[in-house]
Amino acid sequence: MYWRELLMNKIFRLVKKLQIDKLLSMDKIVFVKGETYPFIDYFKGLERVKAVRQIFGKETEEVLRSLKVEFTWIGGYMWINSADGHLVVNSRYLKNGDRIDIYLDLIHELVHVKQFMEGKKLFDTNYNYTERPTEVEAYRHAVEEAKRLGLNDAQICQYLKTEWMSYEDLKNLAKTLNVKCA
Ligand SMILES: [Zn+2]
């Protein structure tokens, strides 16, 4: 299918840009829980990505330069450490996960990095996960980038679907984000 080829081309360009291949050869990393590394040593070129610049503006380079990343074997995909705001990534996900998913998750988490810097409460349990303003904002950035990459609504829906989200939640989130889920 034509769109798939187009999409793959885009992804490969993206992969090149992010140097994910380099990032995936991580045998040199000692997987000690809690150890953090400079984010830009593993995720390269993101400071040139428009979607990232839209999050941090002129401070993009500075923020990414000081951001730390931790690799772990526990937990889900990726999240922000609530104590100091560093990024935590599951190594298995990074190695085996869909590259578009990983890329969109990075965009999502970088929005949380910005929110953390602004002193916003990332884990506000007064809200349902899919209605939490910090989550909606993060998903908005990721979905916008997904659309820019050429993903259609069905593919974006697939991306949004996670095991901790009920069907109702997914429907609500999709509606909020103006994504049509069948
Ligand atoms: Zn989030």
Side-chain angles (χ1 to χ4, degrees):
M1 260 196 292
Y2 182 61
W3 66 262
R4 197 182 288 273
E5 250 166 62
L6 261 178
L7 189 65
M8 284 322 287
N9 276 337
K10 276 179 186 163
I11 294 161
F12 282 126
R13 275 210 300 274
L14 196 70
V15 167
K16 242 189 197 163
K17 206 187 241 176
L18 294 178
Q19 295 189 10
I20 284 183
D21 287 320
K22 196 183 231 176
L23 171 162
L24 290 177
S25 59
M26 294 197 310
D27 2 0
K28 60 178 176 181
I29 297 174
V30 184
F31 290 101
V32 180
K33 192 178 164 278
E35 186 141 5
T36 60
Y37 303 86
F39 177 81
I40 50 168
D41 282 1
Y42 297 94
F43 301 91
K44 305 218 185 247
L46 274 169
E47 70 282 357
R48 293 192 298 274
V49 173
K50 203 173 149 198
V52 176
R53 300 203 73 87
Q54 272 168 353
I55 301 169
F56 302 110
K58 280 182 295 193
E59 279 142 52
T60 304
E61 279 86 1
E62 199 188 322
V63 173
L64 295 186
R65 240 193 335 262
S66 54
L67 184 60
K68 295 270 188 274
V69 59
E70 174 188 342
F71 301 97
T72 177
W73 293 106
I74 53 144
Y77 309 97
M78 53 179 96
W79 64 94
I80 297 300
N81 178 288
S82 59
D84 67 357
H86 74 260
L87 177 69
V88 189
V89 182
N90 180 289
S91 312
R92 216 173 294 111
Y93 177 52
L94 199 57
K95 201 167 189 305
N96 305 322
D98 180 279
R99 287 178 180 203
I100 292 189
D101 286 354
I102 294 170
Y103 172 67
L104 295 176
D105 282 0
L106 277 173
I107 303 289
H108 178 118
E109 294 309 324
L110 287 175
V111 174
H112 287 326
V113 166
K114 185 204 68 169
Q115 292 164 342
F116 184 90
M117 286 163 54
E118 291 171 345
K120 285 186 183 149
K121 226 170 144 186
L122 294 188
F123 304 97
D124 193 344
T125 47
N126 289 321
Y127 293 96
N128 181 342
Y129 173 74
T130 53
E131 288 165 353
R132 205 175 291 154
T134 48
E135 287 306 331
V136 171
E137 188 190 14
Y139 276 113
R140 244 186 241 293
H141 280 260
V143 164
E144 206 176 292
E145 183 63 354
K147 284 181 178 168
R148 201 190 61 78
L149 286 175
L151 270 71
N152 61 34
D153 280 35
Q155 291 168 313
I156 295 174
C157 239
Q158 196 59 40
Y159 166 70
L160 292 175
K161 213 159 102 185
T162 46
E163 53 274 27
W164 64 76
M165 218 182 273
S166 71
Y167 179 66
E168 268 318 296
D169 284 344
L170 173 66
K171 250 173 53 186
N172 288 336
L173 180 65
K175 200 176 163 208
T176 307
L177 300 170
N178 208 11
V179 174
K180 283 177 206 76
C181 287

